[in-house]
Amino acid sequence: MASSDMLFNADNGYLEGLVRGFRGGILNQSDYLNLTQCETLEDLKLHLQSTDYGNFLQNEAGPLTVAIVDDKLREKLVTEFKYFRNHSLPPLSQFFDFITYGYMIDNIILLITGTLHNRSISELLPKCHPLGEFEELGSLGIAQTAKDLYNAVLVDTPLAMFFSEAVSEQDLDELHIEIIRNTLYKAYLEEFFAFCERIGGSTAEMMCPILEFEADRRAFNITINSFGTELGKDDRAKLFPRCGRLYPDGLARLAKADDYEQVRQVAECYAEYAKLFEGAGTGPGEKTLEDKFFEYEVKLNTLAFMNQFHFGVFYAYVKLKEQECRNIVWIAECIAQQNRSKIDNYVPIF
């Protein structure tokens, strides 16, 4: 065993062993087959009790709803994540911080959007994702306007390093909210990628391909969603994260694309992305491009567990559990709405 591996185990071996054990509790195809055969949400609850979820719904006295299932699934994941984070040492603790920054961005954008619609911060805070909560989030409640919130974010939050360089106070209007979100994600992904490169070793080997895909997925989605909007090609190009496989040639071609067909032609130059665009559609029996992106993301995250002595397993576990939560909620929605024709449209993991 290399000395670096022994040093890794000294600080991080317990947590890595724990997350690999948790990975063994992720639902398999047999579990999903049983879930899709449930007739009611109570049946679904009973089956989940036989898995690693155990009695996580036992304290719900009233009628079970999809919203309750969703909340409890998220609560369980957040509890596990906080345990990992609270028992970690640098640089793993910094790695966990980076995982939370994406959720923080979504929370801040939610608060800014809400204040633009004259909704109070106190009303919006319960809707924030718990993985994106931070110590100063509660103090943002004193902000009465979007500009007050902007100034508070610059001073009091971990996102200040992304906000100060990427967003100006003049950008705070309805038209620019999604531009702000994508600009922040661009800065975040590029910094996360650079951080993983600095760590090096197996962490960089496992994490860089995952973050490259996330950057490229955002570039594809930004391009497709910009068609028919006021977003110009030059402004679109500024939103592309420059840490993916598409950089620089693919991004240059995406910046000039005028329609979906031209985006697909760019994807054809990259074997893994060509497969995702092939056959993607919205017709009966077809998988959407978003679903194919999710499937490829699952594949990359499962590969992270094929190597040892790296931080990528923690990121991969969080993302796989999020996909599992989406799968369970989808099945629960189909059961609640008695729409069994689409109940199998989930993304399998193992």
Side-chain angles (χ1 to χ4, degrees):
M1 181 184 292
S3 59
S4 60
D5 293 340
M6 288 191 291
L7 291 174
F8 181 95
N9 271 340
D11 288 341
N12 312 302
Y14 164 66
L15 291 179
E16 186 189 6
L18 192 62
V19 77
R20 288 181 183 277
F22 282 5
R23 177 258 186 217
I26 292 178
L27 301 184
N28 56 35
Q29 194 57 48
S30 175
D31 292 315
Y32 283 117
L33 182 61
N34 289 329
L35 289 178
T36 56
Q37 292 175 345
C38 293
E39 297 292 335
T40 67
L41 292 183
E42 287 297 329
D43 292 342
L44 183 123
K45 172 183 173 181
L46 287 173
H47 177 71
L48 288 175
Q49 285 179 351
S50 66
T51 69
D52 274 25
Y53 282 101
N55 296 321
F56 80 118
L57 291 171
Q58 67 179 354
N59 294 327
E60 299 304 318
L64 196 59
T65 65
V66 176
I68 291 174
V69 173
D70 191 15
D71 288 343
K72 291 300 180 180
L73 289 170
R74 180 180 296 181
E75 185 179 301
K76 188 174 187 300
L77 173 58
V78 170
T79 300
E80 293 171 351
F81 180 85
K82 287 183 176 179
Y83 183 88
F84 291 137
R85 190 182 188 184
N86 293 340
H87 289 79
S88 62
L89 299 171
L92 178 56
S93 59
Q94 295 168 287
F95 183 85
F96 281 126
D97 289 343
F98 269 101
I99 293 177
T100 64
Y101 291 158
Y103 302 98
M104 289 184 192
I105 290 172
D106 290 337
N107 285 349
I108 293 297
I109 294 299
L110 172 67
L111 297 182
I112 292 176
T113 305
T115 54
L116 286 174
H117 288 86
N118 298 317
R119 297 176 65 182
S120 67
I121 296 293
S122 58
E123 178 189 352
L124 296 167
L125 285 176
K127 301 181 184 298
C128 289
H129 195 294
L131 281 182
E133 292 178 352
F134 47 92
E135 196 172 325
E136 302 85 359
L137 188 61
S139 65
L140 297 181
I142 62 174
Q144 298 298 314
T145 67
K147 290 185 178 181
D148 290 342
L149 185 60
Y150 171 81
N151 292 324
V153 169
L154 278 182
V155 175
D156 289 332
T157 76
L159 298 180
M161 59 179 173
F162 305 132
F163 251 78
S164 58
E165 297 179 6
V167 183
S168 70
E169 192 174 320
Q170 287 70 39
D171 290 331
L172 297 179
D173 60 49
E174 192 97 30
L175 181 64
H176 290 93
I177 290 298
E178 284 306 310
I179 294 178
I180 292 174
R181 185 199 302 273
N182 287 310
T183 303
L184 290 173
Y185 260 102
K186 173 182 182 294
Y188 158 62
L189 285 173
E190 290 173 353
E191 186 60 34
F192 196 2
F193 186 87
F195 176 77
C196 292
E197 284 191 317
R198 289 194 297 271
I199 292 177
S202 295
T203 295
E205 183 183 336
M206 293 291 106
M207 278 302 300
C208 286
I210 291 174
L211 294 176
E212 285 172 351
F213 166 69
E214 183 58 35
D216 291 342
R217 170 165 61 176
R218 295 196 73 84
F220 282 127
N221 285 336
I222 288 167
T223 305
I224 293 170
N225 292 335
S226 70
F227 298 145
T229 70
E230 298 178 15
L231 186 64
K233 292 182 178 180
D234 291 340
D235 291 332
R236 179 207 300 170
K238 294 176 184 177
L239 303 178
F240 295 156
R242 299 181 179 181
C243 56
R245 292 200 62 232
L246 294 177
Y247 178 75
D249 296 338
L251 295 185
R253 292 183 62 191
L254 281 182
K256 299 175 183 177
D258 292 312
D259 53 40
Y260 181 87
E261 179 59 27
Q262 292 181 8
V263 174
R264 189 185 62 78
Q265 290 172 4
V266 174
E268 284 183 346
C269 298
Y270 303 84
E272 62 273 48
Y273 299 148
K275 293 178 182 177
L276 300 182
F277 276 78
E278 184 179 348
T282 56
E286 291 182 317
K287 291 182 179 178
T288 65
L289 183 60
E290 182 182 29
D291 285 341
K292 290 202 164 195
F293 280 154
F294 278 137
E295 288 178 352
Y296 188 68
E297 181 185 25
V298 164
K299 177 183 176 182
L300 290 177
N301 286 319
T302 54
L303 289 176
F305 287 91
M306 305 301 289
N307 209 339
Q308 291 181 300
F309 311 120
H310 67 93
F311 297 160
V313 288
F314 299 101
Y315 179 93
Y317 178 73
V318 171
K319 295 303 178 181
L320 289 175
K321 288 297 287 187
E322 281 194 324
Q323 183 58 59
E324 180 174 272
C325 292
R326 284 193 292 269
N327 289 345
I328 295 173
V329 170
W330 173 265
I331 292 171
E333 285 279 12
C334 290
I335 293 172
Q337 297 176 17
Q338 298 183 338
N339 184 8
R340 306 193 67 84
S341 62
K342 296 183 178 181
I343 200 169
D344 292 320
N345 293 359
Y346 56 85
V347 178
I349 298 177
F350 296 120

